[in-house]
Each structure stands twice: as C-alpha cells, then as structure tokens.
Amino acid sequence: MAASPQQQGQGGPGSGGWTPEQFWSLLDKADRRFARVRDLPSFGRQEPDEFAKAFRAYTQLWRMQQEHRHRLLDAGLRRWQVGEIAARIAHLYYAQYQRTADTALLSEAFVFYHAVLDRAYFQDADHHLAPAKHLRFLARFLLVALLLGRRSHTVPRLASDIRTLLDDSKKSFQDAEYKEWKHVVQEIARFLRADSPFMNMRPLRYSYAFDPPPDTLRTVPTTVKKRGLVLSDTILCSYYPNEVKFTDLSIDVFRMVQCLEWEPCGSFALNDGYSAHDESGQNQPNLLKDLRDAALPPNPLKTILYRPSVTHFLTVLSTKCEELPSNGIMLIYLSATGEMGTSGFCPDTGENVLSNFNKFDISSLSHTSSKENKEPCLWLGCRETEGSNCIYPGDLIPFTRRPLFLVIDSSTSYAFKAVYSWY
C-alpha cells in the first residue's frame, strides 16, 4: 500500500536545487503515469508497479507546491491545478481500494476529496475545460461518499452541487456532452431515491453500534475445520436492461459491497470521516492508523463487473480462480434477467444440466441447445444472439475445482443448484 503525501519523507525535488521547470516536467510525467494507472484492469492480486510510480510522482508534486507555492503561482500555477493534483491523489487511493478492498484507502480518498471541495479549488477556474473537470471531481467524490455511507451531509451536498454546476455551465458544453451529464444527474437522483429508505436503518456493514464484538461472533469449531477456508475473493456482476445505477455501480451490487466489508470504527466514524485541514495539507488524526479494529479480518477482494460480456466474465473468473489462495473461497454474485427454458421448475433441471454438459462436443459447430430443449440461463447482453450472451449452469462447473459460494439473484436461480452436485 502506497503511503500518503503526508507520510512520505522530506527529500527529493522538494528540498534543494529546485526550479519551476522541474515542477512542470514532473507534472507531465505524473499525468502520463496516472493515465497508465487508469487503464489498468481492476482485478488481480499483484499490485502493478504503476501505482507506486504514480504515487511517488504526485507525492513530489504535492510537496513541491506546499513548499514553493508563491514561486509557482508567479510561474503560472493555477488553483485548479493544485486541486487536480489533490483529486488525482484521491483517485489513486480509490483505485487501490478497488484492488485491495482496504477501507482505509477509501477513507484517505474521502479526506483529499473533501479538502478540494472545502477550498473550492475548481470554482471560478479560467480553463476552458474547468466545468468538465469540476463535474468529474464531484461525481468521483460522490461515489466515494456513497461507499462510505456519508448520506446525511456530504452526499446531498455533492448531488446538489453537480445539478447546479451543470445548469450554470450549460453553454460551455457541446450538446452531446451536456446530454451525457444530464443523464448522470438523472442516474444520481434515481439512485438516491432508491437508497433513501435505507438511510435510517441498520447499516449493511458490520457495525459496532448494532453487532456484538468480533471476538464473540460464532466461529467454526477447530474440531470440524478441514482446510480453514476464508472468504478471500468476490465477483459482483449485474446486467439488467433498466437497473438503478450510478456510473458502473448498480444498486444491488452497491449493497453487496457493503455486506462484504467491515464498518469503519475509530476516529473516522466518530467525526464523519473528515478532520479540518490547514493549508499545509496536514490532516489529524492519521486515518491509516485509526480506522479499523486490528482484530477484524481483512475485507475480501471485490471485482465489480457492470454489464460484462460472457467471455469477459469467464476471463475474469478464471484469472481470479487461478490467483485464489489455497485456503480461499470465491464468492460469485450474479444479478441478471433469467430465461426459464423448457424444463421450467421441474425437479430434473439439474439432471438436464449435467446430461447436456456430459454430452458437450467441442468439435461440433452446431448449437448444442435448441428452442425445443433449452436450458435455464442468465442473459448477459441482448437476446439477438442465441446462446452467446447466456450464462448456463454448466459454464461454472469447470471452476468448482476451487471452493465457490454462488449467489444468483434471478428468476432462474433454481437451475444453478445443479452446480453443487459436482462438488
């Protein structure tokens, strides 16, 4: 896990022999490294070197603008550029959270985003792309705030700011771009309406306010433990035509994410996730040290797939199964429209699935299923191409070599019970 700019040592370009040209050169290099990080896949246990390089570059930029702010302002630095550096540091934290599921990183992203918002770095910017940059910043901050459950103050403020900014900046957008952002605003409104009934209810995450202490939770007795299996990896996938979502996070996957994480405790939970920053960028207390109880186990790694193709879903699943620890369990959550098939809810559905799988001939070019004998399935795509956009129970059988926990949220979930007869 990369350290935050506040935690890095005091050395490098920020100390001696500094020139404004070094800052601009490092800014270009950091932008290129940020682009490479943004293009990385969101799954995989091994952290790519690009993360460390990008963090190092933006750490140096942050320290340089702190120590030489007046000289950089004279050299042409603008406040929105300082805000963009902080926002990209926050985005790097969020990207690491996506790969590691460590809520400490998500909380650090929240702190940097909140500092940019409070200091209004993007307001009244004299750049022709300023409204678009400001909207992207607000949308990314809103996603982080939603994941951390900051529904009482931060989320309504951000949603209102996005709607107001878009109305005020309508003339600066092309028609197509304005329609895209208008659609985002509508997505936010639908998402918040769907989630509002849960605001004053018990949180989906484990919470010290509602749940017993971790050491009193029920565990598997040592005498019946076989392999000491733990939930280590999850794939959360949804595909519905008109589902409630914000960006690539549907409402059902959003709630699954919360169910698979421990509730932040410590000072971050007590002060609503934000401590006042001074202009030097220091934040107290250190969230990385005071966020979670050390007795809590780590969160499982989560890979979110929004409307993937069948081939992409199976590729990600095979990659994650290959990297699964020897004592790890893979949880697969599939939420999609189901196709009943001719066998319907008959008790022989499992036998039909296994029979068709046994009869599968890889050398045959013809379709293995016909309209007269169609298996129940999940649709991951349009229904124009028969079979190629479907997930059948038999598609998951090769992955039962590793411990799987299936959650099928569909009208055809009954058919996937047949997978467990292969264990």
Side-chain angles (χ1 to χ4, degrees):
M1 180 177 64
S4 65
Q6 291 85 5
Q7 295 172 300
Q8 298 285 342
Q10 297 295 324
S15 52
W18 175 87
T19 62
E21 289 73 18
Q22 287 179 317
F23 179 86
W24 302 120
S25 175
L26 183 59
L27 183 61
D28 291 338
K29 183 188 297 184
D31 289 343
R32 292 194 297 270
R33 289 178 174 173
F34 181 84
R36 286 196 288 267
V37 168
R38 188 174 49 200
D39 295 336
L40 290 173
S42 60
F43 60 92
R45 283 188 163 272
Q46 186 174 1
E47 182 176 302
D49 295 337
E50 283 80 358
F51 271 107
K53 293 178 181 179
F55 260 110
R56 191 179 304 115
Y58 279 102
T59 294
Q60 294 174 355
L61 285 172
W62 189 253
R63 187 164 59 246
M64 289 170 73
Q65 67 85 22
Q66 287 178 334
E67 297 176 356
H68 307 283
R69 175 72 64 84
H70 295 294
R71 290 182 60 186
L72 285 171
L73 291 175
D74 294 338
L77 181 68
R78 298 292 179 260
R79 294 191 78 251
W80 68 266
Q81 292 176 303
V82 178
E84 190 170 59
I85 293 172
R88 289 194 168 183
I89 292 173
H91 188 75
L92 289 173
Y93 275 122
Y94 175 71
Q96 273 196 311
Y97 158 76
Q98 288 181 300
R99 297 183 66 89
T100 64
D102 187 350
T103 50
L105 298 169
L106 189 65
S107 303
E108 286 284 7
F110 184 97
V111 170
F112 272 90
Y113 278 136
H114 209 307
V116 175
L117 182 68
D118 278 357
R119 297 173 191 174
Y121 280 123
F122 287 107
Q123 290 184 5
D124 302 326
D126 55 354
H127 194 278
H128 68 284
L129 296 178
K133 290 178 179 291
H134 197 179
L135 284 172
R136 283 195 296 271
F137 155 73
L138 292 173
R140 289 169 178 168
F141 187 13
L142 178 60
L143 181 58
V144 170
L146 281 170
L147 289 171
L148 283 172
R150 307 301 169 201
R151 287 296 310 272
S152 57
H153 302 293
T154 308
V155 169
R157 175 186 176 183
L158 292 171
S160 176
D161 288 351
I162 292 175
R163 185 171 56 253
T164 302
L165 178 61
L166 182 62
D167 292 340
D168 295 342
S169 308
K170 181 177 180 179
K171 294 181 179 179
S172 62
F173 289 104
Q174 300 290 337
D175 289 341
E177 189 177 11
Y178 176 79
K179 289 179 180 178
E180 290 179 2
W181 278 109
K182 192 69 175 178
H183 181 67
V184 171
V185 171
Q186 294 170 352
E187 281 188 344
I188 293 172
R190 290 182 61 198
F191 194 98
L192 297 183
R193 279 198 303 269
D195 192 52
S196 293
F198 296 87
M199 285 183 59
N200 299 319
M201 297 177 63
R202 180 199 182 285
L204 294 174
R205 289 182 174 96
Y206 171 90
S207 174
Y208 274 84
F210 299 93
D211 296 309
D215 54 358
T216 64
L217 296 175
R218 296 180 59 184
T219 58
V220 178
T222 307
T223 55
V224 299
K225 282 187 177 180
K226 294 183 178 180
R227 298 169 55 187
L229 297 177
V230 295
L231 180 61
S232 61
D233 288 69
T234 65
I235 295 179
L236 309 176
C237 174
S238 65
Y239 203 123
Y240 277 99
N242 297 307
E243 56 191 341
V244 177
K245 71 178 188 70
F246 173 51
T247 62
D248 290 342
L249 190 68
S250 62
I251 191 71
D252 50 354
V253 169
F254 169 67
R255 290 170 182 162
M256 283 296 298
V257 167
Q258 293 179 306
C259 290
L260 295 169
E261 291 182 346
W262 299 96
E263 180 76 6
C265 50
S267 61
F268 184 82
L270 297 178
N271 61 20
D272 196 31
Y274 178 66
S275 298
H277 285 53
D278 56 25
E279 281 300 321
S280 65
Q282 300 295 328
N283 60 299
Q284 296 293 336
N286 188 339
L287 300 181
L288 290 173
K289 295 181 180 179
D290 195 24
L291 180 69
R292 287 226 331 255
D293 191 322
L296 297 177
N299 294 323
L301 303 186
K302 294 179 290 295
T303 299
I304 298 175
L305 301 178
Y306 176 70
R307 294 193 171 187
S309 64
V310 172
T311 53
H312 180 58
F313 170 78
L314 294 176
T315 299
V316 174
L317 178 56
S318 61
T319 301
K320 290 181 72 68
C321 282
E322 183 71 20
E323 298 178 346
L324 195 67
S326 58
N327 66 335
I329 299 176
M330 172 75 71
L331 184 147
I332 301 175
Y333 174 77
L334 278 171
S335 176
T337 304
E339 180 77 8
M340 287 296 184
T342 56
S343 58
F345 289 91
C346 295
D348 63 346
T349 299
E351 297 180 5
N352 291 339
V353 171
L354 299 180
S355 175
N356 290 336
F357 185 79
N358 290 330
K359 294 178 181 178
F360 179 73
D361 183 5
I362 197 170
S363 64
S364 175
L365 298 179
S366 61
H367 292 291
T368 59
S369 62
S370 63
K371 294 192 178 291
E372 291 76 19
N373 186 24
K374 190 190 303 181
E375 297 178 22
C377 63
L378 300 179
W379 285 96
L380 297 187
C382 63
R383 303 198 177 198
E384 297 177 357
T385 306
E386 185 72 22
S388 63
N389 290 333
C390 297
I391 289 286
Y392 296 95
D395 293 330
L396 302 180
I397 291 176
F399 304 102
T400 57
R401 293 180 176 89
R402 309 305 300 270
L404 294 184
F405 188 97
L406 296 181
V407 181
I408 308 298
D409 187 1
S410 175
S411 58
T412 56
S413 59
Y414 65 92
F416 287 80
K417 292 181 181 180
V419 175
Y420 281 89
S421 62
W422 278 72
Y423 272 90

